[in-house]
Amino acid sequence: MESDIRDNPAMSRFEMPLGDTALAVAYYKVEDGRVVLLHTEVPQELSGLGYGSMLALGVFEALRRGGKRVIAKCPFMSSHAAQNPEYAVLLDG
């Protein structure tokens, strides 16, 4: 699933398609060379099915591959990083 996650810099978000029209998204901003993860959204009708976790894993993997440092202001992303030590090492602040 991680390969389905794409960065959309024009909208400052990572996107994961969920069918024909639905998207799970993780909004971010770039600050001092670090990616600040701000908010994660999964459509209400698809919540609780693991799509948020798939999105988080894909986002962190993309950031790790890109050598980026991360500030996780989004509680969901922060919690996910804490549960996955291989991504927690990317965190600043």
Side-chain angles (χ1 to χ4, degrees), residues 5 13-18 22-26 40-43 51-52 55:
I5 294 167
R13 68 187 192 183
F14 288 94
E15 302 170 339
M16 182 175 74
L18 302 172
L23 287 176
V25 296
T40 304
E41 291 181 6
V42 173
Y51 292 119
L55 175 63

Side-chain angles (χ1 to χ4, degrees), residues 37 56 60 70 72 75-91:
L37 299 173
F60 280 115
V70 179
F76 180 81
M77 288 292 198
S78 178
S79 173
H80 201 77
Q83 295 170 16
N84 294 276
E86 68 272 26
Y87 301 125
V89 299
L90 302 175
L91 297 179

